[in-house]
Amino acid sequence: MKVALASDHGGVTIRKEIASLLEELNIEYVDFGCDCTTSVDYPDYALPVAEKVASGEFDRGILICGTGIGMSIAANKVKGIRCALCHDTFSAKMTRAHNDTNVLAMGERVIGPGLAREIAQIWLTGEFEGGRHANRIGKITEYEEKHL
Ligand code: RB5
């Protein structure tokens, strides 16, 4: 698995925590910033990461901002992206099992680095259940093919 990781200035601490988790799990990743000495705009980080996942260059993306909301809104604009904003471990597990999400968003002003690490680990290792859930995702993909 290859992961694209990025944050805005509001998510630097959690981004570093996730980078160390990825290293521990021996998961290949690229950290796309930000350097964040000043305030930056989250779409400038969410959209390139989402495009890299949608194109197949990366298997998954992890995005962090202050709330995770801006990152998730932007990532979900990219065709083929299913980005879940998760601040609890149950959602992280279920969004892999039922939604086959390929991008995870979190908010550093909402949760701390310890919980973010647990959420990311569960999300990275969780398997998609397929079956009826695949049919439901198929309906989203069909919509994307027709309208986007
Ligand atoms: C930046 O101040 C903040 O708006 C951003 O990190 C994020 O929370 C947006 O959704």
Side-chain angles (χ1 to χ4, degrees):
M1 187 195 296
K2 206 172 158 192
V3 176
L5 174 67
S7 78
D8 73 359
H9 55 284
V12 179
T13 304
I14 285 184
R15 192 181 88 233
K16 289 187 177 154
E17 186 71 33
I18 301 306
S20 92
L21 170 71
L22 291 166
E23 272 160 38
E24 272 172 38
L25 295 175
N26 241 335
I27 295 176
E28 195 183 342
Y29 75 97
V30 176
D31 185 343
F32 290 99
C34 62
D35 289 337
C36 300
T37 42
T38 55
S39 170
V40 297
D41 299 331
Y42 60 80
D44 295 339
Y45 294 87
L47 294 170
V49 162
E51 281 178 354
K52 286 174 208 305
V53 174
S55 72
E57 188 185 341
F58 286 81
D59 304 297
R60 304 273 190 91
I62 300 181
L63 296 166
I64 302 106
C65 64
T67 60
I69 296 171
M71 287 293 199
S72 60
I73 290 172
N76 277 315
K77 295 292 177 197
V78 176
K79 194 173 174 178
I81 292 303
R82 293 179 299 282
C83 174
L85 172 59
C86 293
H87 290 135
D88 65 276
T89 53
F90 178 74
S91 300
K93 182 181 166 201
M94 296 313 288
T95 196
R96 282 294 309 131
H98 288 188
N99 313 119
D100 196 20
T101 43
N102 46 17
V103 178
L104 171 68
M106 294 182 283
E108 183 171 305
R109 294 173 188 159
V110 184
I111 55 169
L115 178 55
R117 168 184 273 264
E118 272 191 44
I119 288 168
Q121 181 155 2
I122 286 166
W123 183 78
L124 285 162
T125 53
E127 294 288 335
F128 179 48
E129 283 176 14
R132 68 187 189 281
H133 305 296
N135 294 342
R136 291 164 186 165
I137 290 170
K139 292 187 179 190
I140 298 169
T141 307
E142 208 174 290
Y143 178 90
E144 284 183 320
E145 293 306 329
K146 274 192 202 149
H147 301 286
L148 301 182

